[in-house]
Amino acid sequence: MAIVYLSTHDIDLDQLAALFDSVGWQKRTAHRNRLAQLVRGSTEVISAWDGDQLVGFARALSDGAFNAYISTVAVRPDHQRRGIGRELVRRLMDGHDGIKFVLHANDSAYSFYTHIDLGFEPADNMLHRPRK
């Protein structure tokens, strides 16, 4: 079956929690209201569906003019290495050539972003304040 991509904030939170749990993000699913806010507070949301199962999710936060931050890209482990993550990110950036996109990748995901050929480059001048 072909993967279907949707651009909507209308995401089934049970399916989103199951997806996040499948990639080890149980901290993000522990509080349902925070999970709902994660979706509501996003400027763009793209989801990937295999039939009626949510298999991928990505979101971006943006001012809509100059800057955007790509966050929370997840693909179920049994659907990885099929181009779903790349397509989620491509769709987030599609039509926004005038916007600078940034993202923060953990060590295990870093090589994915440098190899998906969507124009990401390493930046040495990034600062961040960790969660407390």
Side-chain angles (χ1 to χ4, degrees):
M1 180 175 285
I3 301 299
V4 174
Y5 296 89
L6 300 176
S7 176
T8 178
H9 285 71
D10 187 21
I11 299 290
D12 180 306
L13 293 180
D14 290 331
Q15 291 226 32
L16 185 58
L19 170 61
F20 284 4
D21 287 345
S22 78
V23 297
W25 292 350
Q26 288 79 10
K27 287 183 180 179
R28 295 187 187 197
T29 64
H31 302 284
R32 183 64 158 232
N33 59 340
R34 290 188 75 192
L35 184 62
Q37 180 58 38
L38 177 146
V39 176
R40 275 193 315 272
S42 302
T43 308
E44 297 279 338
V45 172
I46 306 291
S47 56
W49 297 84
D50 187 354
D52 60 358
Q53 182 182 38
L54 178 65
V55 298
F57 176 87
R59 69 186 184 118
L61 309 168
S62 177
D63 60 19
F66 294 99
N67 298 295
Y69 171 63
I70 295 177
S71 178
T72 323
V73 178
V75 176
R76 289 183 64 86
D78 59 347
H79 281 72
Q80 291 176 3
R81 303 196 188 290
R82 298 185 192 180
I84 295 170
R86 180 188 190 285
E87 185 62 14
L88 288 167
V89 173
R90 188 196 69 74
R91 286 174 182 251
L92 282 175
M93 298 188 306
D94 190 38
H96 303 292
D97 290 341
I99 294 178
K100 178 180 182 176
F101 282 86
V102 297
L103 60 86
H104 175 258
N106 62 31
D107 291 340
S108 64
Y110 187 85
S111 65
F112 166 75
Y113 292 105
T114 59
H115 289 94
I116 59 173
D117 194 28
L118 290 175
F120 289 103
E121 301 171 359
D124 293 332
N125 61 347
M126 183 179 156
L127 303 170
H128 75 101
R129 188 194 90 177
R131 290 183 193 98
K132 294 180 182 183

